[in-house]
Amino acid sequence: MEQEEYTREEINWSYIEFVDNQDVLDLIEKKGGLIALLDEACMFPRSTHETFAQKLYTTFKNNKRFVKPKLSRTDFTVVHYAGDVTYQADHFLDKNKDYVVAEHQDLLNASSCPFVASLFPTLPEESSKSSKFSSIGSRFKLQLQSLMETLSSTEPHYIRCVKPNNLLKPAIFENTNVIQQLRCGGVLEAIRISCAGYPTRKTFYEFVNRFGVLGPELLEGSNDDKIACQKILEKMKLENYQIGKTKVFLRAGQMADLDARRAEVLGKAARIIQRLMRTYIARKQFVLVRRSTTHLQSFVRGTLVRNLYECMRREAAAVKIQKNVRRHKARESYLLLQAATVTLQTGLRAMSARKEFRFRKETKAAVHIQARWRCHRDYSHYKNMQRAVLTYQCAWRQRLARRELRNLKMAARETGALKEAKDKLEKRVEELTWRLGLEKRLRTDLEEAKAQEIAKLQETLHDLQLQVEEAKTMATKEREAARKAIEEAPPVIKETPVLVEDTEKVNSLTAEVDQLKALLQTERQATETAKKEHAEAERRNEELMKKFEGAEKKIEQLQDTAQRLEEKATNMESENKVLRQQAVAISPTAKALAAYPKSPFQVCHIPGTCILYKYTLIFIKMT
């Protein structure tokens, strides 16, 4: 349809190759196709699924879209666009027949439950009278035709749902699976055709009406929409577009670019309009507020000035009253103070004259007494000085004699002091020699303890390596047992899920390996002399970690396999339930399918070992 439109518009284009699925549609729904033959087989009571399959083989033996399997008499394969699909015709006739009685359908349609009523809608009277035989295939064909008519009369938009992974878990994307779904759904083909052609097309009037704002100066003086469209596209510097007779054809992404530029121009214009409108509103509010403020300020200032004048007038009157009252009080206080001062001065002057007279009278007798006292004092001082000189001379001579005696005694004691110092030094040397020997013994004991700890660590690493090998052997045995169980299980029986629960074992081994690594790191930092011996232990530890990581990966793979088997078993169980329900609907006396119980494998656990290390710290205090 798009290429026919390109031809009508006479634009430069090349033919686009695409996969046409019309032959598959003709094989299924055309007259004489699969649905028609199925309805025809349902009309004959003696028809079986084998006769229906043989009729399909003879009718479509030359059709390239129809393939007959080699090892089956009732199966047939249809070569769809997405891939080959094999169908089993065992129950096609039973499923295509409609056994619902008209009275039953009317009864269920009149149910008070909306869900039950929606399952059995009322059929139109014309279709019910005209068609004596009603099948599921014919109804599906009519519904499909109605859907295609609805889609043709509207502009539908499709949403493609893609399953990211088969595990039904979040944040996991399988690229191969997603690409296969997009390719089978025709999304990649539709994108290729859309990119090769012109997915966006607009008439000249619609294009100018929508994108005229991008170049308003180009529309002035021009009435031809085609020329205006071309000028707008040249101004936007777009390439690979086509202009037909009545429409403009754009490549993928060009319409979004034009819409973005149009939104930018409209946004700028809207901002200019908003700016001018806000300026006008703000100016109007400012003028109104300024006028109101002026009136309010004049009234307030008048009131304040009147209040200030009244306060100043009252303050001046109060100051005048205060001045007169203070002057009267000060006058009275001054007169009272003057009278008191005169009286006090008179009394003080009389007292001072009497005191002077008494002093002169007493001074004359005191002079005579002082002369006698000073004479007696000088004589006593002379006698005391004479006795003191004699005493001091005796004490000094005694002091010199004692000093000489002390020097003689010190000379006698020097020989004994030297002997005591020698004894003390000998004792000090013996004590230091004993401490040095003790320190050497302690260092030797510490080195022996470290050597024992290193030997214990090597033995522990060897034991852990053996445990990991045992775990690997057990995992291999469990995988072989699971494979044998899957191969020996019959097709009808549900596949037995294998559950491997080694969480405790893995956690214990991980904790032990982490503890050993921490202890080895501490020993390497503490003892520099043991680095060469620890290198071999580190290499073995790295090999053990690699083996352990390989075992973890294998365990995760086994868990994924078990989960997939469990999902497959669940799907088979649901299919069995559906088949049982259909069998019950067809023949109530049919027996229910027997379900086989699950038999999970036993899981072996390897207990972890705990290793405790004790370090003895020896502190030596030197005095």
Side-chain angles (χ1 to χ4, degrees):
M1 294 176 65
E2 292 185 2
Q3 300 188 34
E4 292 176 358
E5 187 175 2
Y6 297 161
T7 305
R8 287 197 306 269
E9 294 291 332
E10 296 181 0
I11 62 174
N12 295 327
W13 65 285
S14 59
Y15 184 76
I16 302 172
E17 297 291 339
F18 64 94
V19 178
D20 192 2
N21 204 26
Q22 186 62 39
D23 50 356
V24 180
L25 299 177
D26 296 340
L27 174 65
I28 295 174
E29 64 178 0
K30 196 175 180 181
K31 186 175 181 181
L34 294 177
I35 297 177
L37 293 177
L38 181 62
D39 291 343
E40 182 180 354
C42 291
M43 291 181 183
F44 296 99
R46 295 183 180 181
S47 296
T48 62
H49 57 276
E50 294 181 355
T51 58
F52 171 66
Q54 293 299 326
K55 191 171 184 180
L56 291 179
Y57 298 157
T58 56
T59 304
F60 302 111
K61 63 182 179 179
N62 296 325
N63 196 327
K64 62 180 181 179
R65 294 289 186 176
F66 186 88
V67 179
K68 177 185 177 183
K70 295 180 180 181
L71 302 178
S72 179
R73 300 178 60 186
T74 59
D75 297 351
F76 62 93
T77 302
V78 177
V79 182
H80 289 281
Y81 166 75
D84 298 348
V85 180
T86 302
Y87 300 92
Q88 297 177 354
D90 293 340
H91 300 285
F92 268 35
L93 299 179
D94 297 334
K95 293 180 180 180
N96 191 44
K97 294 178 182 179
D98 189 2
Y99 288 100
V100 180
V101 183
E103 289 78 4
H104 296 174
Q105 185 169 0
D106 295 338
L107 177 62
L108 294 173
N109 187 25
S111 175
S112 59
C113 181
F115 177 71
V116 177
S118 63
L119 294 177
F120 301 91
T122 304
L123 297 176
E125 296 181 0
E126 297 178 357
S127 61
S128 61
K129 292 180 180 179
S130 61
S131 60
K132 296 181 181 179
F133 175 74
S134 177
S135 64
I136 302 298
S138 60
R139 286 189 182 182
F140 174 73
K141 188 175 180 181
L142 292 175
Q143 292 176 0
L144 186 60
Q145 291 177 359
S146 175
L147 177 61
M148 292 302 297
E149 292 176 359
T150 304
L151 294 176
S152 300
S153 61
T154 58
E155 294 182 0
H157 298 276
Y158 299 95
I159 298 175
R160 295 288 183 179
C161 298
V162 179
K163 185 169 68 173
N165 57 76
N166 295 326
L167 301 177
L168 302 178
K169 292 183 177 180
I172 299 175
F173 295 93
E174 297 177 358
N175 297 334
T176 306
N177 190 9
V178 173
I179 290 297
Q180 183 66 19
Q181 294 181 51
L182 296 176
R183 185 179 290 109
C184 294
V187 177
L188 299 180
E189 185 70 15
I191 293 173
R192 185 187 69 80
I193 295 172
S194 177
C195 293
Y198 299 92
T200 305
R201 56 188 68 88
K202 294 284 184 181
T203 61
F204 295 146
Y205 176 75
E206 292 176 353
F207 188 85
V208 172
N209 189 25
R210 182 174 181 82
F211 300 108
V213 294
L214 299 178
E217 69 278 359
L218 302 177
L219 302 179
E220 296 179 356
S222 177
N223 296 326
D224 192 353
D225 294 340
K226 183 175 181 180
I227 297 174
C229 293
Q230 188 172 2
K231 289 181 179 180
I232 292 172
L233 292 172
E234 290 176 355
K235 182 180 178 181
M236 295 294 103
K237 298 180 181 181
L238 296 180
E239 298 178 354
N240 298 327
Y241 62 87
Q242 294 289 337
I243 298 178
K245 291 183 177 180
T246 60
K247 292 183 180 181
V248 176
F249 295 86
L250 300 176
R251 291 285 188 181
Q254 293 181 345
M255 177 61 73
D257 190 11
L258 292 174
D259 287 333
R261 296 184 182 182
R262 176 176 176 271
E264 184 178 356
V265 172
L266 293 178
K268 289 181 179 179
R271 286 192 293 272
I272 293 172
I273 295 172
Q274 290 176 354
R275 182 181 63 195
L276 296 176
M277 192 64 190
R278 289 170 182 170
T279 303
Y280 172 74
I281 294 172
R283 178 66 181 172
K284 187 175 180 181
Q285 291 179 352
F286 171 72
V287 172
L288 180 61
V289 170
R290 185 177 61 180
R291 188 183 299 112
S292 302
T293 305
T294 304
H295 290 304
L296 183 61
Q297 286 178 352
S298 61
F299 175 75
V300 172
R301 286 171 182 170
T303 304
L304 292 176
V305 169
R306 285 192 294 271
N307 293 336
L308 181 61
Y309 172 72
E310 183 66 24
C311 291
M312 291 174 65
R313 189 172 64 83
R314 291 185 178 183
E315 186 177 358
V319 169
K320 190 173 182 180
I321 293 170
Q322 289 176 358
K323 180 182 66 174
N324 294 328
V325 171
R326 287 172 182 171
R327 184 179 61 181
H328 176 69
K329 289 183 177 180
R331 179 64 180 172
E332 290 182 351
S333 177
Y334 172 72
L335 293 176
L336 182 61
L337 183 60
Q338 184 180 10
T341 304
V342 171
T343 305
L344 184 60
Q345 287 177 354
T346 303
L348 290 176
R349 288 170 183 172
M351 186 184 296
S352 177
R354 286 192 296 271
K355 188 181 293 185
E356 182 68 22
F357 173 72
R358 192 181 301 111
F359 173 74
R360 288 180 181 181
K361 187 178 180 181
E362 290 176 356
T363 300
K364 188 176 180 180
V367 170
H368 184 68
I369 293 170
Q370 287 176 359
R372 294 293 179 181
W373 165 250
R374 287 171 183 169
C375 182
H376 176 70
R377 184 187 61 184
D378 293 338
Y379 181 74
S380 298
H381 178 67
Y382 170 73
K383 289 294 184 181
N384 291 331
M385 288 293 291
Q386 187 178 10
R387 286 194 296 269
V389 169
L390 293 175
T391 304
Y392 181 73
Q393 288 177 355
C394 294
W396 178 254
R397 290 168 183 167
Q398 185 180 6
R399 182 177 182 183
L400 292 176
R402 289 178 179 174
R403 184 179 297 175
E404 185 67 23
L405 180 62
R406 191 180 300 111
N407 291 331
L408 293 175
K409 289 182 179 180
M410 291 292 291
R413 292 177 182 175
E414 285 180 359
T415 306
L418 290 174
K419 187 176 181 181
E420 292 178 358
K422 182 180 179 181
D423 295 338
K424 289 181 180 180
L425 289 175
E426 290 177 354
K427 291 181 180 179
R428 183 66 175 173
V429 169
E430 291 177 358
E431 184 179 358
L432 291 175
T433 305
W434 177 79
R435 288 182 178 177
L436 182 60
L438 178 62
E439 185 177 356
K440 289 181 179 180
R441 288 196 299 273
L442 291 174
R443 287 182 181 177
T444 305
D445 295 340
L446 183 59
E447 291 178 357
E448 292 178 357
K450 288 182 179 179
Q452 293 177 1
E453 293 294 335
I454 291 170
K456 289 180 180 180
L457 290 174
Q458 291 178 355
E459 293 177 359
T460 305
L461 285 175
H462 183 67
D463 295 339
L464 288 176
Q465 187 175 6
L466 293 176
Q467 291 179 3
V468 171
E469 291 178 357
E470 291 178 359
K472 184 177 179 181
T473 305
M474 292 300 295
T476 305
K477 290 181 180 180
E478 291 175 356
R479 186 168 63 253
E480 292 177 357
R483 183 174 56 78
K484 290 180 180 179
I486 293 171
E487 292 177 356
E488 293 176 359
V492 181
I493 300 175
K494 294 186 243 183
E495 297 183 0
T496 306
V498 180
L499 303 176
V500 181
E501 300 177 354
D502 287 342
T503 306
E504 296 179 357
K505 177 179 68 179
V506 172
N507 292 334
S508 62
L509 290 176
T510 305
E512 291 174 6
V513 171
D514 292 338
Q515 187 177 4
L516 290 174
K517 287 175 67 179
L519 291 174
L520 288 174
Q521 187 66 22
T522 306
E523 289 296 329
R524 283 198 301 271
Q525 293 177 358
T527 58
E528 293 180 356
T529 57
K531 286 183 179 179
K532 294 181 180 180
E533 296 179 358
H534 289 173
E536 185 66 22
E538 288 178 355
R539 185 179 62 79
R540 293 178 181 177
N541 192 14
E542 290 176 356
E543 293 178 357
L544 182 61
M545 287 296 297
K546 291 180 181 179
K547 293 179 181 180
F548 183 72
E549 290 176 356
E552 282 185 345
K553 291 181 180 178
K554 291 179 181 179
I555 290 170
E556 291 179 356
Q557 292 177 0
L558 289 175
Q559 289 178 354
D560 295 338
T561 304
Q563 189 173 4
R564 290 178 182 175
L565 291 174
E566 187 176 3
E567 292 176 357
K568 189 173 180 181
T570 306
N571 295 332
M572 292 181 65
E573 186 177 3
S574 61
E575 291 178 0
N576 290 334
K577 288 182 179 179
V578 174
L579 291 175
R580 284 198 297 270
Q581 292 177 359
Q582 293 177 356
V584 170
I586 295 172
S587 60
T589 60
K591 295 182 181 180
L593 295 176
Y596 289 88
K598 298 181 180 179
S599 59
F601 289 96
Q602 296 179 354
V603 182
C604 296
H605 297 279
I606 300 177
T609 59
C610 299
I611 303 173
L612 301 177
Y613 296 95
K614 297 182 180 178
Y615 291 94
T616 305
L617 302 177
I618 302 173
F619 296 94
I620 301 174
K621 184 177 181 182
M622 302 297 295
T623 59

